[in-house]
């Protein structure tokens, strides 16, 4: 193992939760190199946690261990697992849907359930609400440092039985594609859709071409306009909208130096649908 440990959670940084996780990891293995993916996942938003892992994991070396704790079912019967990816990385997380995007778009080759008999901090068996500290950070540190092997995590589970979140499948038709608005580029308010570059390319797009973009929240029409397809934001004037391919090769929708999400009160999730049509 390479001593790299990457933490993600919905805990925020306003209290000591993240620091406690780091402390537990350092007590187990002081030599660990600990990094933070994000701790600003929207509270309880398992889909967002899954997407942020997908957005990030391919840029880390083999043997890196990720700990992702977005766990609204903490203390329930949901399983605690470690998944091994096709790229030989490891994700320590509740089996609650967090692994969905990794399984679909990266690939998972094996999963083991964390045996809390040996892979839980001592004297924490009466604490039921902070598995991020007592189970996940602790197990992640043991694995990243090589103090345990993947096989020593616990019993093997079937990859096919991983809990997966429902996804919106892209509809490709004659002159249009339809998908969902999966997530935001949060700081800048750009919309990241579920439509892949390959799916969008069925429309034979050319830079500078305009497409009719329609956004629905459920059955309610929220936005409709003709928008330019460009390489980057500077291809349109400041304040103008643009269609582009984002850093994870999905169709994005942005306003040059503005927030599309705030400008048009657009949210994310399966009920937020987008259609892109040739003009």
């Amino acid at each position: 193992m390479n001593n790299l440990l990457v933490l993600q959670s919905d805990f925020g940084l306003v209290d000591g939760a993240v620091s406690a996780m780091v402390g537990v990891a350092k007590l187990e293995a002081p030599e660990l190199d600990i990094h933070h993916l994000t701790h600003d996942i929207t509270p309880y938003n398992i889909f967002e946690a899954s997407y942020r892992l997908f957005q990030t994991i391919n840029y880390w070396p083999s043997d890196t261990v990720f700990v992702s704790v977005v766990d609204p079912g903490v203390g329930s019967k949901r399983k605690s697992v470690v998944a091994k990816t096709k790229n030989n990385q490891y994700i320590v997380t509740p089996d609650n849907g967090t692994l969905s995007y990794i399984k679909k778009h990266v690939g998972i080759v094996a999963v083991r359930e964390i045996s809390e008999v040996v892979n839980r901090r001592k004297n924490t068996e009466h604490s039921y609400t902070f598995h991020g500290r007592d189970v996940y950070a602790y197990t992640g540190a043991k694995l990243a440092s090589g103090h345990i092997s993947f096989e020593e995590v616990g019993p093997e589970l079937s990859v096919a039985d991983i809990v997966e979140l429902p996804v919106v499948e892209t509809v490709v038709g004659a002159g249009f594609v339809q998908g969902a608005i999966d997530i935001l580029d949060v700081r800048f308010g750009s919309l990241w859709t579920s439509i892949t570059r390959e799916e969008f390319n069925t429309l034979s797009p050319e830079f500078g071409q305009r497409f009719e973009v329609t956004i629905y929240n459920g059955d309610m029409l929220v936005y409709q306009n003709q928008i330019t397809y460009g390489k980057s934001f500077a291809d349109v004037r400041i304040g103008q909208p643009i269609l582009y391919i984002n850093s994870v090769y999905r169709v994005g929708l942005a306003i040059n130096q503005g927030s599309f999400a705030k400008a048009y009160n657009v949210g994310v999730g399966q009920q937020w649908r987008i259609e892109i049509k040739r003009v």
Side-chain angles (χ1 to χ4, degrees), residues 89-162:
Q89 298 154 321
Y90 301 88
I91 303 170
V92 186
T93 188
D95 182 25
N96 59 6
T98 297
L99 295 170
S100 298
Y101 253 75
I102 299 300
K103 180 180 177 182
K104 183 174 182 179
H105 299 292
V106 177
I108 292 174
V109 297
V111 181
R112 290 186 175 271
E113 183 173 7
I114 297 173
S115 172
E116 294 190 17
V117 175
V118 293
N119 292 316
R120 182 185 179 119
R121 285 199 317 127
K122 291 182 180 180
N123 302 317
T124 65
E125 63 273 10
H126 298 300
S127 174
Y128 305 105
T129 60
F130 201 176
H131 288 178
R133 176 195 65 195
D134 299 332
V135 179
Y136 301 133
Y138 181 65
T139 301
K142 292 176 75 174
L143 186 60
S145 62
H147 292 178
I148 61 170
S149 66
F150 178 59
E151 289 71 24
E152 292 173 308
V153 166
E156 189 166 11
L157 303 174
S158 170
V159 174
D161 292 338
I162 293 172

Side-chain angles (χ1 to χ4, degrees), residues 212-225 264-266 271-275:
E212 182 180 273
V213 175
T214 307
I215 297 174
Y216 298 91
N217 182 9
D219 295 328
M220 182 175 66
L221 177 65
V222 174
Y223 178 88
Q224 189 172 58
N225 199 3
Y264 298 103
N265 294 313
V266 176
Q271 77 277 14
W272 286 92
R273 304 299 179 99
I274 183 168
E275 179 182 82

Side-chain angles (χ1 to χ4, degrees), residues 184-199:
L184 299 181
D185 184 353
V186 178
R187 186 168 179 83
F188 301 104
S190 305
L191 313 182
W192 285 14
T193 77
S194 62
I195 301 168
T196 66
R197 178 178 178 271
E198 291 75 18
E199 290 162 344

Side-chain angles (χ1 to χ4, degrees), residues 1-268:
M1 303 302 287
N2 62 13
N3 284 317
L4 282 173
L5 186 66
V6 182
L7 305 179
Q8 170 177 272
S9 75
D10 57 353
F11 297 160
L13 296 174
V14 295
D15 62 15
V18 172
S19 183
M21 291 174 65
V22 172
V24 164
K26 284 289 190 178
L27 282 170
E28 172 63 28
E31 70 277 12
L32 284 178
D33 188 6
I34 300 177
H35 299 266
H36 301 276
L37 195 161
T38 180
H39 296 290
D40 287 325
I41 297 294
T42 303
Y44 319 119
N45 194 325
I46 298 166
F47 178 89
E48 189 176 333
S50 180
Y51 199 103
R52 295 307 180 199
L53 283 170
F54 157 69
Q55 181 185 350
T56 307
I57 196 169
N58 284 333
Y59 304 101
W60 285 85
S62 175
D63 287 332
T64 299
V65 175
F66 293 79
V67 172
S68 181
V69 190
V70 177
D71 193 14
V74 63
S76 69
K77 293 183 179 180
R78 61 92 185 95
K79 292 182 174 69
S80 298
V81 300
V82 179
K84 182 178 180 180
T85 74
K86 285 185 176 179
N87 298 325
N88 206 42
Q89 298 154 321
Y90 301 88
I91 303 170
V92 186
T93 188
D95 182 25
N96 59 6
T98 297
L99 295 170
S100 298
Y101 253 75
I102 299 300
K103 180 180 177 182
K104 183 174 182 179
H105 299 292
V106 177
I108 292 174
V109 297
V111 181
R112 290 186 175 271
E113 183 173 7
I114 297 173
S115 172
E116 294 190 17
V117 175
V118 293
N119 292 316
R120 182 185 179 119
R121 285 199 317 127
K122 291 182 180 180
N123 302 317
T124 65
E125 63 273 10
H126 298 300
S127 174
Y128 305 105
T129 60
F130 201 176
H131 288 178
R133 176 195 65 195
D134 299 332
V135 179
Y136 301 133
Y138 181 65
T139 301
K142 292 176 75 174
L143 186 60
S145 62
H147 292 178
I148 61 170
S149 66
F150 178 59
E151 289 71 24
E152 292 173 308
V153 166
E156 189 166 11
L157 303 174
S158 170
V159 174
D161 292 338
I162 293 172
V163 174
E164 294 184 71
L165 301 173
V167 297
V168 174
E169 300 294 339
T170 302
V171 177
V172 177
F176 73 90
V177 290
Q178 296 174 340
I181 299 170
D182 277 342
I183 207 161
L184 299 181
D185 184 353
V186 178
R187 186 168 179 83
F188 301 104
S190 305
L191 313 182
W192 285 14
T193 77
S194 62
I195 301 168
T196 66
R197 178 178 178 271
E198 291 75 18
E199 290 162 344
F200 180 61
N201 280 346
T202 63
L203 302 182
S204 302
E206 297 181 5
F207 294 124
Q209 187 177 357
R210 294 174 69 82
F211 292 85
E212 182 180 273
V213 175
T214 307
I215 297 174
Y216 298 91
N217 182 9
D219 295 328
M220 182 175 66
L221 177 65
V222 174
Y223 178 88
Q224 189 172 58
N225 199 3
Q226 292 186 12
I227 298 179
T228 299
Y229 170 54
K231 288 183 179 180
S232 67
F233 312 115
D235 285 350
V236 296
R237 297 190 304 273
I238 291 174
Q240 294 297 305
I242 186 169
L243 277 173
Y244 67 104
I245 302 300
N246 67 18
S247 59
V248 291
Y249 299 106
R250 303 300 193 270
V251 174
L253 183 56
I255 290 177
N256 185 13
Q257 298 188 34
S259 170
F260 197 103
K262 288 182 179 178
Y264 298 103
N265 294 313
V266 176
V268 300

